[in-house]
Amino acid sequence: MSQKKFEVHPGNPERAGVHYENGGLAFAFTIPDEQEAVLVLTDPKGKKILKEIPLPIEERTGNVSAVYLHPMNPDQIGYYYVVSGKKVLDPFAPEIVGGVCHAISEQFDWEDDREPGIPMEDTLIYKLHVRGFTKKAKGVSRLKGTFAGVAAKIPYIKELGFNAVELMPVYEFDETLKIQPFARYIQDRDTAQPEALPHNYWGYAEKNFYYSPKEKYALGQNSSDELRNLIKSLHQNGMECILEMYFPQETDPFSAVQTVRFWKSHYHVDGFHLIGAGTPVSSLVRDPLLVHTKLLFEQVDGGSVYGGRLPKRRNLIEYNDAFMNRARCLLKGDEGQTGDFAVRIRKNPDENGVVNYMANVNGFTLADMVSYDWKHNEENGEDNQDGPVFNYSWNCGAEGKTSKSSVLNLRQKQIKNAYAYLFLAQGIPLLLAGDESGNTQKGNNNAYAADNADGWTDWTTGKRAEEQRLFLKKLITFRKDHPILHMSHALRGMDYQSIGYPDISFHGESAWYCSFDRGGRSFGVMYCGKYAEVENKPVDDFIYIGYNAYWENREFPIPDLPKGYSWYTAVDTAAAAGKEFTELAFTDMLEDQHKFTAEARSVKVLIGRSIAEHQDKLEQIRIAEEKRRAEEEARRIAEEKRRAEEEARRLDEEKRRKEEEDRLFELEQAELEAEAIRFAEEHARAEAVKAEAAAKAAEAAEAKAQKKSNKTVSGRKSAPNKKNNPA
């Protein structure tokens, strides 16, 4: 801690959690049933306890204990509570790292961040799981599975054409699951060890820390700043961020509202997808702080909310499986679906928006929808009893993986048809990450625990995947170019502007008549683009869409256009890869202006405009294409220049490294030579010392020998003469 001493003052019990205020930290925590409690301050990693602060019962306001510690540096402490001897984390903590709670100083630099404010009718949503989205991605290396990894893929999402990203739960949630739909599993899981329980990968949990971004999704130790950087990056690219939040049934309504307000204020979130039985819909839709924030609910009736008055800016959105179920049934050729599907493609109330999708988290992916008749959830460990029973899917002739070209080709066409169903409808289209490139979960329609390769987004780069991505990009561009396909209000089916045509009309066995009989599997819809106005001026064409879900070709009678107008083919999902968008290829007008044929299981789109308008359009397309090619050429040249500069830098770096290596080698050689000289000198000195020692030893030996010799001579001179001295 920056200060070893601090003072403890009474705090504000009305502000739950922890807040950095005037150089200190304000804590407020609910302690039920008058239990004993202590606030424990630790080092940031939670390894060392710095101080324990008792929270006396008599100093509480109701069940809330509040203290203010000053001075205090929020970056240098962690904290938690001990209640009746048990460690408890603060559910309102703005950050949880390493098992301890943290305050944040709110000093993040948002720069000049502005919410994009994308109109509801122009919104296109790409839904993803932060961890799973980039775990198998290339080009993000150490960023895989993080907020930063998603940020690195923003250009990819933007290039597809999307302008909003929905993130599955990004707050701290319990990753172990005990609640399951089948009783025989509940008993085992209530007594099982945590490591034996299923892993909660998706994030829809009963226990959540809503104020703290998920630590696992952070590259470093600051998950809050990393998530803010992601949202800021989205805004800088003109894209919105929508957060999915799950409120279980026992959630306090006031707390739920405060949670949403917190994320709006502190993280600049543009919208919320709010699910769970504890979602206080009525309170949220009337909150003044959220009136310009997109609020997505499973069910919402804007008419009831606004009492018949039209809001100045729509922000309420209905988000459920209704479109998906009807569209899938028609796609696979079920009878009696055309009427319901016609209702769904035009649904766009004046009071609120509607989200449409062909696949979402709960159920088959788009690729699995055309590859499996039955769910294959064995890996979930629930005897294949979990997950939706009804998937409204068709495997196109083979269950799962196959090498049959006829089956694979049909699946490819059906995926294109699904794209057309979705992106040519009114409302807000949503695509699940990976559905643009054939992502599969191998038939698992409930991958709630699949934090593995099966549950992660597959970044396939094969020929078919690239074909799907290219088709989708062109289809989204087509949608954007034609505002009649995404109006800001409901289409009436009437000629209320005396144009001579209603804004929307349906056609079947004959033009201007569609029975929607139970046996029917095809119909046409025509939009009159003159109802799409900008500054009170018509800006769009006539558009006719023929939906043929039959297994055989069908003829579509089409309405006559105003004098001087003609029908032109624009899109055909049955065409060869790369040739589906014939308008971009400057094709001639339809040969028969009264009817056309749509191939089996296909969608065909016509454009109706005057010859002059068509020529102008072709000229605009030609100019745009030339501009695109010029920009592409400029990008290519710039890329070549960049690569050349990079290669030059690489060569310079190699040269510098080689020179450095040569220099080091020379230094090493010089050191070796010096070492050799030193060794030779030392060896010479050693030899000299050795020679000197040997010489001295020789001298000593010689002296010793001489001395011995002298003693011998002396002894001989003094020895007695035995002959002269007889005994």
Side-chain angles (χ1 to χ4, degrees), residues 257-258 261 282-291:
V257 173
Q258 291 303 106
R261 279 173 152 252
S282 59
S283 298
L284 288 163
V285 299
R286 291 178 171 83
D287 192 302
L289 185 70
L290 304 173
V291 293

Side-chain angles (χ1 to χ4, degrees), residues 82 159 282 331 370 386 420 434 464 469 489 509 531 576 619 622-623 656 665 686 714:
V82 174
E159 185 184 4
S282 59
L331 182 69
V370 298
D386 63 307
R464 291 184 184 276
R469 277 193 290 265
H489 57 271
E509 300 80 5
Y531 288 89
E619 181 63 16
R622 185 188 64 77
I623 293 172
R656 187 197 63 77
F665 179 75
S714 176

Side-chain angles (χ1 to χ4, degrees), residues 454-518:
D454 290 343
W456 298 335
T457 302
D458 183 13
W459 291 80
T460 301
T461 56
K463 181 179 178 181
R464 291 184 184 276
E466 186 57 36
E467 181 184 334
Q468 291 175 27
R469 277 193 290 265
L470 182 60
F471 180 89
L472 178 63
K473 286 169 60 177
K474 290 183 177 180
L475 186 62
I476 291 176
T477 299
F478 184 85
R479 176 187 174 88
K480 290 179 177 179
D481 287 345
H482 295 284
I484 191 65
L485 296 176
H486 50 103
M487 297 288 280
S488 62
H489 57 271
L491 296 172
R492 304 182 190 177
M494 300 170 57
D495 181 12
Y496 56 89
Q497 291 187 6
S498 300
I499 293 174
Y501 295 86
D503 52 6
I504 185 173
S505 54
F506 294 96
H507 311 267
E509 300 80 5
S510 61
W512 300 108
Y513 175 76
C514 187
S515 64
F516 293 117
D517 65 90
R518 183 165 181 79

